[in-house]
Amino acid sequence: MVARHLISLDDLSDDELHDIVARGAEPSRSRPDSPLAGKVVGIYFRKTSTRTRTAFSAAALRLGANVIAFGPDDLQLNTGESSEDTGRVFSRMLDALVARTADDPEEMRAWADQDRMAVVNAMSADEHPTQALADLTTLAGRFGEIEGLRILYVGEGNNTAAALALGLTRYRGTHLELRTPPGYGLTQDIRERAAKLAASSGAIVHEQHDLDDLSMFDVVYTTRWQTTGTTKPDPHWRTVFAPFQVTTELMDRFPDAVFMHDLPAHRGEEVVAEVLDGPRSIAFDQAENKMHSAMAVLEWCVAGNGGRCAAPA
Ligand code: CP
């Protein structure tokens, strides 16, 4: 079994992505057969995390694997050991490495330059692929099918938005409408990649920098304004973001829509408490789905055909 890496959603074929999402959303999600028994999963987070780190740790344990956790100060990377050597050493001991760096994904690509240990991106600067898989799992669980869903994303075009754009466009007839503050939109690279995927699936992905001319949506989605708690160089950024808060008035424009948030949330900033804690919010189901989709990811990249996902080509 050759290890499979998930550093970007681009690493998954459409069938693999759809299969992981469907697996995560299955109503009966217990794995009594422990498909990862005897495997060892490393969890290396250089940045803070509540959901993703716990989701992958719990997922590995629920699948029967053992877990080794490394904090930001634990590895010789800090004293100058190369990424390549770190990956080579880890791959002799671990079956999978789940890592959050919040840096350039090239470092993860260096760790993945071997085929013994799977490398999973638990968030890099450009993309948060496992968040998108959890989001798609949530949509599949809530709506039955993802094809044709219309999502309004309000807020910064950060790594969560990027992954959503690269994931939702793999489903036929979906519409992702991004309304991002001026100067804080998707990168050109992500816009172009998402547009290419949309052209092939018949999806729509569109971005503009105001809240005018909105049609009907099934979901309103936002994220924290300060990704991983980092602030922005422009001292006036809050003024630019203020019109993009998700309020009850905004939700009232879409009476049938549910509300999603990748969390952590700052009530009173990107969303008001009445929306996040209200009856239309599925943000905490979405958080739980991080664990269910993490199980599907680990099955795909570590257990191979022991899981339900597609065999390697
Ligand atoms: N949504 C998300 O990635 O949460 P954490 O930062 O807590 O992992």
Side-chain angles (χ1 to χ4, degrees):
M1 168 69 200
V2 175
R4 292 180 280 198
H5 308 297
L6 174 55
I7 295 174
S8 165
L9 290 180
D10 286 351
D11 296 325
L12 300 173
S13 69
D14 286 353
D15 284 349
E16 288 172 322
L17 186 145
H18 295 165
D19 209 357
I20 288 171
V21 170
R23 177 68 162 156
E26 278 177 8
S28 169
R29 308 181 207 197
S30 65
R31 308 285 193 272
D33 50 341
S34 299
L36 264 59
K39 305 286 187 188
V40 182
V41 175
I43 306 278
Y44 172 42
F45 275 58
R46 275 214 297 264
K47 295 285 180 182
T48 53
S49 168
T50 297
R51 278 143 291 275
T52 316
R53 179 171 172 167
T54 309
F56 273 95
S57 304
L61 292 168
R62 285 170 184 263
L63 292 169
N66 294 297
V67 170
I68 303 176
F70 309 98
D73 301 322
D74 290 345
L75 301 181
Q76 298 288 17
L77 277 166
N78 292 15
T79 62
E81 186 166 25
S82 73
S83 300
E84 289 76 9
D85 287 355
T86 304
R88 287 169 71 184
V89 171
F90 270 162
S91 72
R92 307 266 176 141
M93 304 175 192
L94 301 176
D95 298 288
L97 178 67
V98 179
R100 169 173 290 188
T101 63
D103 294 322
D104 192 302
E106 287 319 304
E107 183 181 20
M108 290 189 201
R109 292 274 173 218
W111 297 335
D113 189 22
Q114 44 72 36
D115 58 13
R116 298 162 64 138
M117 172 189 76
V119 177
V120 176
N121 177 0
M123 197 177 88
S124 52
D126 62 330
E127 197 181 323
H128 195 353
T130 64
Q131 181 64 48
L133 292 171
D135 296 344
L136 293 166
T137 298
T138 304
L139 294 172
R142 175 76 188 194
F143 294 98
E145 64 178 35
I146 298 174
E147 282 79 7
L149 285 179
R150 304 159 299 178
I151 299 188
L152 171 62
Y153 178 96
V154 182
E156 190 172 24
N158 59 13
N159 45 21
T160 288
L164 190 62
L166 298 176
L168 193 69
T169 45
R170 305 283 202 98
Y171 289 84
R172 223 180 23 248
T174 52
H175 175 182
L176 178 62
E177 184 69 33
L178 297 122
R179 298 303 178 100
T180 53
Y184 296 93
L186 292 179
T187 63
Q188 186 174 344
D189 172 55
I190 295 291
R191 268 201 311 276
E192 288 173 1
R193 284 160 60 193
K196 203 167 157 193
L197 291 165
S200 124
S201 68
I204 297 169
V205 56
H206 175 257
E207 180 179 29
Q208 69 185 60
H209 305 297
D210 56 44
L211 291 174
D212 297 341
D213 303 323
L214 291 167
S215 53
M216 265 308 138
F217 292 94
D218 304 298
V219 177
V220 177
Y221 191 129
T222 194
T223 67
R224 183 157 73 152
W225 286 346
Q226 298 181 76
T227 306
T228 66
T230 47
T231 191
K232 305 183 191 310
D234 175 6
H236 306 296
W237 69 268
R238 283 180 191 281
T239 312
V240 182
F241 275 66
F244 295 86
Q245 183 183 64
V246 178
T247 58
T248 50
E249 291 74 23
L250 180 69
M251 289 301 293
D252 286 348
R253 290 163 71 174
F254 318 107
D256 298 324
V258 297
F259 172 74
M260 292 176 68
H261 191 311
D262 60 347
L263 303 178
H266 278 178
R267 290 169 178 79
E269 274 200 0
E270 72 277 7
V271 61
V272 299
E274 291 81 353
V275 172
L276 180 64
D277 302 317
R280 290 205 271 155
S281 171
I282 58 171
F284 289 89
D285 295 335
Q286 191 182 348
E288 179 185 329
N289 280 327
K290 293 198 66 137
M291 182 184 71
H292 300 302
S293 66
M295 290 173 78
V297 167
L298 290 174
E299 284 182 309
W300 172 77
C301 64
V302 181
N305 292 330
R308 283 269 309 281
C309 296

